[in-house]
Amino acid sequence: MSLIQLIDLPDYADERGGLVAIESNQSIPFEVKRLYYIFQTTQQPRGFHAHKDLQQIAICLKGQCRFVLDNGEQKQAIVLDNPRQGLLLDGVIWREMHDFSDDCVLLVLASAHYDEQDYIRDYDAFLKFAHRPFIHALADVHSQHIGQKTSIWQYSVVLAGAKIGDHCNICAHTFIENDVSIGNNVTIKSGVYVWDGIHLADDVFVGPCVTFTNDKKPRSKQYSDEYPRTVVEKGASIGANATILPGIRIGQKAMVGAGAVVTKDVPDHAIVVGNPAYIQGYVEL
Ligand code: T46
């Protein structure tokens, strides 16, 4: 993904000279509320911050300077030296400006009035903010233990005791109870309910509508003090609509076929299918 987004500005140059016209929400993707320009620069670099919400376009009207953009995962640099092009600064991007020529005039158009609260001037704070979890406005998340870069989508409910690691994708229409731990890089597809006692290690994939259970002999209004522990070990995958009975261990890298009904532990690397699930083979190492 390129961090460098250059916008060609409408240019009405003719034999009399150049003329660039910029219109809010037309030639640039926001309404301009503020502009500022940087000029008579010394050799000192500038920037070294990110913005939380602000959108900006930087245009080098004269001379040149070098922007370095960083989204917390990759860095890219560009020399601005063309008054007919604007560099779009959008999203949570750490920016630095280097190598100003003596004659540099840098015009910046901004989508909001100046607000120091919108600046992140500390690099570690920027990384934390850039990698914060994404929780969709329509999700109901009570847990404070949601890892960096995890996404939780619409109509998902996560109760307060649940712990979810980094870089997980919790798809729409899921329910995650309290005594649940979910490792890093876990995918939970839609229609999955993760009840008390279910623990998913790193890199687990849970397909759509997989059914976990935590009560071997359910009766209405009768509650157990403790639920059996079901553990899905690192790297295991569970196919769509499979049912996992209570207290099962699904081994590392195991593969549970779609629709299987798992009634006993699955060894590491085993492929299980059917009802009741049986070992059909082993995943190649
Ligand atoms: C950005 C890069 C490209 C104001 O009071 N109002 C303003 O509109 C601006 C832009 C700055 N200031 C004050 C805040 C500081 O006390 O001016 C001082 C210098 O600002 P700063 O150190 O943030 O300047 P740069 O060149 O490092 O960064 C500027 C913009 O602030 C920033 O939004 O993205 O240019």
Side-chain angles (χ1 to χ4, degrees), residues 4-5 14-15 45 61-62 66 73 85 115 135 172 187 191 195 217-219 227 234 239 248 254:
I4 310 292
Q5 299 181 68
D14 60 22
E15 64 285 355
L61 298 181
K62 194 163 179 235
R66 185 168 60 90
E73 277 168 11
Q85 270 187 335
D115 176 9
I135 295 174
T187 299
W195 310 113
K217 296 178 180 162
R219 292 284 184 205
Y227 291 100
K234 185 175 163 63
I248 299 276

Side-chain angles (χ1 to χ4, degrees), residues 134-136 139 141 146-147 149-158 163-176 180 182-183 185-192 194 200 204 206:
F134 167 75
I135 295 174
H136 195 282
V141 176
I146 311 292
K149 299 185 79 176
T150 281
S151 298
I152 302 181
W153 295 94
Q154 298 93 320
Y155 310 112
S156 293
V157 177
V158 180
K163 292 188 173 62
I164 301 180
D166 296 337
H167 219 279
C168 293
N169 195 19
I170 313 294
C171 295
H173 295 277
T174 52
F175 176 66
I176 298 176
V180 170
I182 295 174
N185 303 311
V186 171
T187 299
I188 301 184
K189 303 298 282 186
S190 296
V192 176
V194 189
L200 311 178
V204 162
V206 182

Side-chain angles (χ1 to χ4, degrees), residues 175-177 180-182 186-189 191-201 204-207 209-215 228-233 236-239 241-248 250 256 262:
F175 176 66
I176 298 176
E177 238 175 350
V180 170
S181 63
I182 295 174
V186 171
T187 299
I188 301 184
K189 303 298 282 186
V192 176
Y193 307 138
V194 189
W195 310 113
D196 283 334
I198 315 288
H199 301 276
L200 311 178
V204 162
F205 172 88
V206 182
C209 298
V210 163
T211 299
F212 290 104
T213 57
N214 67 358
D215 193 345
R229 219 178 128 78
T230 292
V231 179
V232 184
E233 302 282 9
S237 293
I238 306 176
N241 281 307
T243 298
I244 315 296
L245 291 196
I248 299 276
I250 297 179
V256 175
V262 180

Side-chain angles (χ1 to χ4, degrees), residues 34-36 38 45-49 51 54 56 58 67 89 95 97 100 106 108 113-114 116 119 121:
R34 173 171 58 111
L35 63 83
Y36 57 92
I38 293 169
R46 306 182 67 114
F48 298 89
H49 57 251
H51 283 281
L54 190 68
Q56 299 190 106
F67 268 77
L89 300 166
R95 78 275 324 254
M97 294 169 278
F100 289 94
L106 182 70
V108 183
H113 297 296
Y114 177 74
E116 186 58 34
Y119 283 76
R121 294 191 184 269

Side-chain angles (χ1 to χ4, degrees), residues 64-84:
Q64 64 175 54
C65 66
R66 185 168 60 90
F67 268 77
V68 178
L69 304 185
D70 173 354
N71 66 358
E73 277 168 11
Q74 52 169 331
K75 277 187 190 185
Q76 287 173 10
I78 175 125
V79 172
L80 291 191
D81 59 1
N82 180 355
R84 295 175 177 85

